[in-house]
Amino acid sequence: MKRIFACIFLAIGAITANADKWVKDAEPAILEVHYTRIEVYDTTMRTSRFFKDPVILRVGKDKSVFLGAKRLWKDSIMAVDPATFWEIDRARVMSDKRDDTQLLSGHYWNYIYKNIPDGKVTERAYFDMEHWQYTEDWEKPKWEILDESKEIIGYQCFKAVTDYRGRKWTAWFAPEIPVQEGPWKLCGLPGLILEAYDNKEEYRFEADGLTQNPNSEVGIFTYDERKGYTTVTRDKFFNNWWKYKHSNFGAKMNAAYGVGPKATPEDNKPRIVHYDKEETNYPHDL
């Protein structure tokens, strides 16, 4: 464990020293919010099969970025000092913390950029052994504010509901923080969204804390640009994800790297996946 911490401190130093060169079209962040993101990945066993990840919302004057904290950490270390990352991973393997919850890159691998470029939303993600991205018009949810309130991390929050991208969402926002932002693509309320969940509770975002005027920047992270991104339409992006989730990934890896037996017709049959993305209004064809 001491070895892991020593490597982490070295990695943080390397990232801090080189941070400016890895953010394109950057502007200073005026607010950084840390949330816990919960994703139920098997709705038939929702109490035991879920991912729980730390995620970050960074808000600038004109734009914002939402991302997985662990994914940013992993991508930045791999760009700045890959040897340190693999040293950390080796130390993890040698420890007793090798279970899936200790995955160094976390489970949320998306970067969502709002108002980048102007009036657009750009999303980037890694899946199916490839980097993908799309850009779409920035469509904000249309909210109904209700007469209910509660306190979240010390702020009085009010309830609002919306139908957005195929799901019914509930959000709790804090007018005391006059930023029309929130986790994922949720935004447009007269105050920062500190908690949100869909009506099936397959996705949930809960604020853990926030920092005003943090020492961070908002812009496009370029850690993975050297590998290139495949640019597609929004519908193609999500449909590709759907096909990937319903494929036999093990058989695909064997075919790509020649490390296992040749896939049989049975191997190539679609899997049954018991969950969907935060947004569900895209073509679900195989």
Side-chain angles (χ1 to χ4, degrees), residues 112-114 116 120-123 134-138 185:
I112 296 177
Y113 300 96
K114 297 175 194 164
I116 303 179
K120 305 284 187 179
V121 169
T122 299
E123 182 167 6
Y134 71 91
T135 298
E136 63 172 343
D137 291 337
W138 189 5
K185 295 181 179 179

Side-chain angles (χ1 to χ4, degrees), residues 61-119:
K61 180 177 178 293
D62 299 310
K63 51 197 175 187
S64 70
V65 57
F66 180 74
L67 49 87
K70 287 185 176 182
R71 185 66 192 188
L72 175 63
W73 181 80
K74 183 260 186 186
D75 286 347
S76 58
I77 294 178
M78 284 295 289
V80 174
D81 188 359
T84 295
F85 175 82
W86 292 118
E87 180 67 15
I88 294 169
D89 193 52
R90 281 192 293 271
R92 178 186 65 89
V93 171
M94 295 299 290
S95 74
D96 60 350
K97 300 293 185 183
R98 200 176 175 182
D99 61 282
D100 188 54
T101 62
Q102 301 297 319
L103 188 66
L104 290 184
S105 56
H107 302 95
Y108 186 69
W109 291 3
N110 297 43
Y111 291 79
I112 296 177
Y113 300 96
K114 297 175 194 164
N115 209 33
I116 303 179
D118 289 349

Side-chain angles (χ1 to χ4, degrees), residues 2-168:
K2 289 181 180 178
R3 187 181 181 189
I4 292 176
F5 284 132
C7 292
I8 289 173
F9 288 135
L10 287 173
I12 290 172
I15 293 167
T16 303
N18 294 274
D20 292 346
K21 64 181 286 189
W22 301 105
V23 185
K24 185 167 61 180
D25 299 326
E27 66 179 34
I30 60 175
L31 183 69
E32 181 167 298
V33 192
H34 289 245
Y35 299 86
T36 295
R37 176 184 181 271
I38 298 172
E39 171 188 334
V40 177
Y41 66 86
D42 185 343
T43 55
T44 66
M45 301 179 68
R46 59 174 57 245
T47 59
S48 59
R49 296 193 175 180
F50 61 87
F51 295 136
K52 194 172 184 178
D53 282 282
V55 290
I56 299 172
L57 170 68
R58 286 183 182 169
V59 182
K61 180 177 178 293
D62 299 310
K63 51 197 175 187
S64 70
V65 57
F66 180 74
L67 49 87
K70 287 185 176 182
R71 185 66 192 188
L72 175 63
W73 181 80
K74 183 260 186 186
D75 286 347
S76 58
I77 294 178
M78 284 295 289
V80 174
D81 188 359
T84 295
F85 175 82
W86 292 118
E87 180 67 15
I88 294 169
D89 193 52
R90 281 192 293 271
R92 178 186 65 89
V93 171
M94 295 299 290
S95 74
D96 60 350
K97 300 293 185 183
R98 200 176 175 182
D99 61 282
D100 188 54
T101 62
Q102 301 297 319
L103 188 66
L104 290 184
S105 56
H107 302 95
Y108 186 69
W109 291 3
N110 297 43
Y111 291 79
I112 296 177
Y113 300 96
K114 297 175 194 164
N115 209 33
I116 303 179
D118 289 349
K120 305 284 187 179
V121 169
T122 299
E123 182 167 6
R124 289 178 165 183
Y126 179 79
F127 59 86
D128 201 15
M129 298 185 290
E130 192 167 345
H131 291 86
W132 303 90
Q133 70 175 7
Y134 71 91
T135 298
E136 63 172 343
D137 291 337
W138 189 5
E139 177 190 349
K140 299 179 182 180
K142 295 178 173 60
W143 297 94
E144 177 187 359
I145 299 176
L146 305 179
D147 190 23
E148 295 182 46
S149 66
K150 69 177 181 179
E151 187 175 293
I152 301 174
I153 61 169
Y155 295 93
Q156 185 181 23
C157 294
F158 294 87
K159 186 178 183 180
V161 294
T162 187
D163 289 337
Y164 184 63
R165 299 293 177 90
R167 291 183 185 268
K168 296 182 183 295

